[in-house]
Amino acid sequence: MEPMKLRALLTMPELRLRAVTGEDGLDRDIRWVVTTDLLDPGRYLSGGELVLTGLVWWTGPGDSEAFVRALARAGVSGLAAGDVIRGSLPPDLVAACRRHRLPLFEVPEDVAFATVTEHVVRHLSTARAADLGAVLDRHRQLIAGLTHGTGLDPLLDLLSRDLGMRCWVLTPTGRLIAGTHPLEADPAALAGEFLAAPRLPHRLPGPDLSLLPVAPETTSRVADWFIACAGDWTAWPVERRALTDELAAIVALERARQDDRLSAEGRLSQELVRLAASGTDDVLPHLRLTGLDPDVPFTAVSATAGGGLRPGELRTVLAEVLPGRPLIGLLGDEAIALVPSVPDLAPALRDALSVLSPGLPDLAAGVSKPAAAGELRGAVEEARYARRLATARTGPVRVVGHDELATHVLLLASVPDDVRQMFRERLLDPLVTYDEEHKADLVRTLETFLQQSGSWTRCAERLHLHVNSVRYRIQRIEDLTGRDLSRLEDRVDFFLALRLR
């Protein structure tokens, strides 16, 4: 990669960037371009980047100092920002950039961040495969909008016709994005192979396909697209491997164009989610701006993820698996979606996420019941209660619907985590320890006993035990815990503790 100066951004008439502050730093080199909507993106930066942001993270003057300080500590070269919602950059952002001597550019409202990324990447790239020249020229025209709406299909057709390469672009759920030839392999099976492959590129000998990533390895596969190319990539000459690298870079640009996070609609969704969660009266006017019918019911979804899945990637996952036109925003590490006109969303969401489970190490989601547009705050809170309940469960993907939120579940969801843990451990840890040491089954016996409303006979039948064995186990439970299972209060405590497992 050859160095590119920040100053060069001002010479690109297509971008029309304006230097707001930091003119003395315009000779800094740009190493790469990063788009972020995190308040503290420092851990994802390594220095020398041009950072693009739509100010999704900005909620007040104090946020600008924290954001710019994180960029300065990471050693980024410059910041380019645009704000469709507010129309101009916040003065506190300009002041923070001036304090930290960070060059700041303003991006016009009608210039997409993907366009900025494309122009910078094009200038940074120096090594191009010779037989890709015509392909790049054609796709630049596509990106410039001369053949707007045609997407990647003309590019893949050109690759097949002129260079003999048959390729398809798919999402991690198996949805076909582009491809001009019939794909004989099952797209869902290819997606599963992509998610589970120990390393990429990955060869599939059966259908004779090679699976290639679009984004770098730092991007979670569940938030990426991938390319399936006919043939064995290990047998390709160096020129063809370079060609597929260029193809991946072009597909990444097309993917960025379709990412609405930094579009006007995406920022409006972010603002609408923030308003819905806070319960202000501005929800309905903002909802009308989206073009959605405010008279239809909306279902709220709350989701969090671990295992290295970033908030922006979690948002991408929800956008892929949720039906219709969901409105999705980020509140810290939590993603909130408002889905119109879907009455029973939880089972469908559970099934859709299970397809991604090979690449989802830890995801918990809660789904509310449908609610009117004027009741979105209650729907968001209900989804959050369900998500907290899902977090306490095991498995890579946990989805809890509103139908599981009985009164006691709502009560438990509102209790602080440390109190819930202490309550559960105090009652059940003696039984768990005894089971582990003596290979007993006291916890299961207790749960079955409560499910059968304290009936010795029905409990014995369910466990395939003699009724005296059940009596012995219940006595042991009472001895270990100091509780009396003939008392309603103690039964209720045990019931709640078991629901917290």
Side-chain angles (χ1 to χ4, degrees):
M1 308 294 282
E2 292 184 350
M4 172 187 177
K5 306 295 184 184
L6 286 174
R7 187 180 305 279
L9 297 172
L10 301 176
T11 66
M12 299 178 180
E14 303 91 343
L15 302 184
R16 308 196 314 278
L17 300 185
R18 181 176 69 90
V20 179
T21 185
E23 289 82 357
D24 56 344
L26 293 181
D27 287 326
R28 295 182 184 179
D29 291 339
I30 301 175
R31 185 180 60 82
W32 196 240
V33 188
V34 173
T35 299
T36 184
D37 49 19
L38 295 176
L39 178 60
D40 183 5
R43 61 187 183 277
Y44 304 123
L45 301 170
S46 55
E49 297 92 348
L50 171 66
V51 174
L52 305 178
T53 183
L55 303 179
V56 170
W57 46 266
W58 192 91
T59 60
D63 293 337
S64 292
E65 172 63 25
F67 180 76
V68 174
R69 183 171 61 246
L71 299 187
R73 288 177 177 174
V76 306
S77 294
L79 171 65
D83 192 336
V84 173
I85 299 296
R86 299 170 186 85
S88 62
L89 300 183
D92 51 282
L93 176 64
V94 178
C97 288
R98 187 173 292 117
R99 281 194 300 274
H100 290 277
R101 303 180 65 83
L102 180 67
L104 172 65
F105 299 86
E106 184 173 23
V107 182
E109 293 182 13
D110 59 340
V111 175
F113 281 25
T115 302
V116 179
T117 300
E118 181 211 353
H119 279 73
V120 174
V121 170
R122 188 189 303 170
H123 280 70
L124 290 174
S125 300
T126 58
R128 299 283 183 181
D131 56 357
L132 194 59
V135 177
L136 287 176
D137 289 339
R138 174 70 174 275
H139 197 63
R140 286 179 190 131
Q141 293 179 354
L142 293 173
I143 292 177
L146 297 182
T147 53
H148 179 67
T150 54
L152 290 167
D153 278 340
L155 171 68
L156 299 184
D157 182 59
L158 193 61
L159 282 171
S160 174
R161 187 176 66 250
D162 295 355
L163 306 174
M165 287 184 63
R166 289 186 298 133
C167 299
W168 301 264
V169 180
L170 303 98
T171 71
T173 62
R175 181 168 60 92
L176 184 66
I177 297 294
T180 57
H181 292 274
L183 181 58
E184 298 179 358
D186 178 19
L190 292 183
E193 292 281 355
F194 167 71
L195 291 172
R199 64 181 60 184
L200 295 170
H202 177 62
R203 182 199 174 199
L204 299 176
D208 193 24
L209 292 171
S210 294
L211 306 183
L212 316 172
V214 170
E217 285 298 322
T218 54
T219 299
S220 174
R221 293 184 191 177
V222 295
D224 195 7
W225 288 355
F226 69 97
I227 304 169
C229 286
D232 177 5
W233 74 276
T234 61
W236 291 342
V238 173
E239 293 79 11
R240 176 147 295 201
R241 292 193 190 184
L243 180 63
T244 56
D245 289 343
E246 296 294 345
L247 173 61
I250 294 173
V251 173
L253 288 175
E254 183 68 19
R255 182 181 177 280
R257 291 184 66 202
Q258 295 192 23
D259 187 347
D260 75 336
R261 275 185 299 167
L262 298 173
S263 68
E265 183 177 353
R267 296 180 212 182
L268 189 58
S269 296
Q270 172 69 34
E271 182 69 7
L272 184 59
V273 164
R274 186 185 68 81
L275 293 173
S278 62
T280 66
D281 296 330
D282 296 332
V283 171
L284 287 177
H286 280 74
L287 186 58
R288 292 189 179 95
L289 291 175
T290 67
L292 295 172
D293 185 356
D295 294 329
V296 304
F298 285 78
T299 299
V301 177
S302 168
T304 55
L309 192 67
R310 303 169 188 171
E313 294 174 331
L314 174 60
R315 184 192 184 281
T316 300
V317 169
L318 289 183
E320 174 67 21
V321 300
L322 289 173
R325 279 183 56 199
L327 304 172
I328 308 175
L330 296 175
L331 300 177
D333 291 337
E334 177 190 22
I336 298 289
L338 303 174
V339 186
S341 302
V342 180
D344 193 12
L345 182 58
L349 179 59
R350 189 179 295 112
D351 292 343
L353 288 173
S354 66
V355 174
L356 300 176
S357 58
L360 282 175
D362 182 22
L363 189 147
V367 181
S368 76
K369 64 177 178 294
E375 301 172 352
L376 288 182
R377 181 181 184 182
V380 170
E381 287 302 314
E382 187 174 73
R384 283 174 159 172
Y385 286 141
R387 190 252 306 158
R388 289 171 191 158
L389 180 61
T391 302
R393 297 183 177 179
T394 58
V397 176
R398 293 97 67 199
V399 178
V400 171
H402 66 89
D403 55 328
E404 298 185 58
L405 296 182
T407 304
H408 69 275
V409 174
L410 289 173
L411 175 63
L412 293 175
S414 64
V415 175
D417 289 343
D418 55 344
V419 177
R420 290 152 52 97
Q421 180 179 353
M422 180 181 66
F423 179 77
R424 181 184 68 246
E425 290 176 350
R426 181 177 297 175
L427 266 73
L428 298 184
D429 270 12
L431 307 182
V432 172
T433 301
Y434 187 89
D435 283 348
E436 291 174 350
E437 293 178 353
H438 298 87
K439 308 300 180 185
D441 208 6
L442 296 185
V443 174
R444 179 165 171 258
T445 300
L446 172 62
E447 190 168 17
T448 305
F449 182 74
L450 294 177
Q451 288 173 349
Q452 300 306 316
S453 302
S455 170
W456 305 98
T457 303
R458 291 199 302 271
C459 181
E461 291 174 352
R462 290 292 300 274
L463 295 174
H464 304 290
L465 295 173
H466 191 277
V467 68
N468 287 339
S469 297
V470 173
R471 292 182 183 276
Y472 171 79
R473 290 186 181 183
I474 295 300
Q475 182 62 53
R476 175 60 63 185
I477 291 170
E478 292 176 337
D479 292 341
L480 290 170
T481 62
R483 299 298 187 106
D484 183 355
L485 280 166
S486 66
R487 286 167 40 89
L488 176 61
E489 297 92 328
D490 288 340
R491 288 191 186 186
V492 170
D493 282 351
F494 276 124
F495 173 79
L496 296 176
L498 288 167
R499 291 306 299 265
L500 290 172
R501 294 180 67 218

